[in-house]
Amino acid sequence: MSPDRLHGGLEARSVGAVFFDASGASIQALHKVSAQFLSGHLTAIVGPSGSGKSTLLHALAGIVVPHQGEVRFGATVVSQLGERQRDAWRLAHCGMVFQDFRLIDELDALSNTLLPAQFQRARLPEVLRERARALLARFEVPLRAGPVARLSRGEQQRVALARALLLDPPIILADEPTASLDPGNGQRIADELHAMARAGKTVVAVTHDHKLSALADQVLRMTAGQVLLPQPADTASMVA
Ligand SMILES: Nc1ncnc2c1ncn2[C@@H]1O[C@H](COP(=O)(O)OP(=O)(O)OP(=O)(O)O)[C@@H](O)[C@H]1O
Ligand SMILES: [Mg+2]
């Protein structure tokens, strides 16, 4: 059993998160959210727009810092790390697929996929370039020269997924990763995420896509910044 599993994997404990609007008024995006995300499990986070799904994902990644509670991964209390340590932790542990992709429009697909490695080291080993090409081929992204801005939304989404997987992270946090895909590609990406969980990774996906949530070991339903207790329909789809 891995040390992370022994220590409970990735975990949110009573996490509260607050934003401030332009006039300084506070918006409570998360209210005491507690949840466990075990390695080897695919968790789907579902719920209406504005319910805090992306905020929870960003809190798990150490991008949003909770004003109360904590995020832990194994023995590391991620939410208590300083900003640079959190950035380093995220780079080493998390593959992120952002809801808005966060690709660099001017760069091509391969350069975007290689970005996380470029933060890590000045000179890229050829093996990483090969891995990036293989990931793009696996997701059927055309290896065209030219900026990703000229790719379709669905192609851009798959570049974002390839980038998230480049460094083979133990945690994958994906925000609506099939939202821009046709049903066939959506099913393939859902199957890929499920297979990664089966291979031992901690996979958390915010999704409105039934193809993806049907494969989940755990479905967290959010409303107004809170996680609702599991409904019988969710427990029925849980894998023992
Ligand atoms: N950076 C921010 N500044 C201010 N308010 C924010 C910020 N990010 C999120 N919020 C607010 O926090 C709440 C939760 O937002 P969040 O993006 O987590 O929702 P969501 O469930 O992901 O919604 P969607 O399904 O539309 O993506 C919303 O009321 C949103 O307006
Ligand atoms: Mg969102």
Side-chain angles (χ1 to χ4, degrees):
M1 193 177 273
S2 77
D4 294 329
R5 200 179 261 258
L6 270 177
H7 289 99
L10 183 63
E11 192 181 353
R13 292 189 184 170
S14 292
V15 166
V18 170
F19 295 113
F20 296 93
D21 72 12
S23 69
S26 65
I27 302 152
Q28 181 97 29
L30 297 177
H31 297 267
K32 293 197 171 183
V33 169
S34 293
Q36 268 203 320
F37 307 87
L38 297 179
S39 64
H41 277 198
L42 168 60
T43 299
I45 301 177
V46 302
S49 182
S51 58
K53 305 181 299 296
S54 295
T55 306
L56 177 56
L57 211 66
H58 293 181
L60 293 175
I63 296 169
V64 165
V65 180
H67 73 95
Q68 63 174 187
E70 60 188 27
V71 170
R72 307 180 71 99
F73 182 59
T76 307
V77 184
V78 177
S79 50
Q80 280 178 6
L81 299 175
E83 190 174 349
R84 289 179 67 160
Q85 286 174 300
R86 269 185 288 119
D87 289 346
W89 177 84
R90 186 179 323 115
L91 193 56
H93 294 89
C94 298
M96 301 286 302
V97 180
F98 290 97
Q99 189 167 8
D100 55 2
F101 311 154
R102 301 200 190 171
L103 300 176
I104 298 188
D105 282 348
E106 296 76 19
L107 297 180
D108 65 15
L110 185 62
S111 304
N112 266 287
T113 306
L114 286 166
L115 274 178
Q118 253 144 4
F119 288 123
Q120 264 192 342
R121 59 201 100 191
R123 220 180 118 79
L124 283 180
E126 188 51 34
V127 64
L128 272 180
R129 286 183 191 280
E130 276 312 309
R131 182 171 162 78
R133 283 195 198 95
L135 283 165
L136 291 168
R138 187 161 116 206
F139 299 145
E140 295 178 10
V141 177
L143 257 184
R144 261 181 238 144
V148 283
R150 289 198 207 135
L151 296 179
S152 74
R153 293 276 301 164
E155 288 166 345
Q156 290 179 19
Q157 185 147 46
R158 284 173 281 151
V159 174
L161 188 61
R163 183 182 61 184
L165 300 181
L166 181 74
L167 299 176
D168 197 22
I171 302 169
I172 296 162
L173 303 171
D175 204 342
E176 307 206 18
T178 61
S180 298
L181 304 181
D182 60 79
N185 269 307
Q187 185 67 58
R188 279 197 42 212
I189 298 304
D191 290 339
E192 290 265 5
L193 291 170
H194 183 238
M196 284 175 226
R198 283 295 165 273
K201 295 189 186 296
T202 302
V203 185
V204 186
V206 171
T207 190
H208 294 286
D209 183 347
H210 294 294
K211 293 188 291 299
L212 184 49
S213 55
L215 294 172
D217 302 293
Q218 159 175 251
V219 178
L220 299 183
R221 277 180 204 286
M222 295 196 68
T223 185
Q226 290 178 305
V227 172
L228 301 178
L229 289 172
Q231 302 297 303
D234 301 334
T235 42
S237 69
M238 285 172 94
V239 175

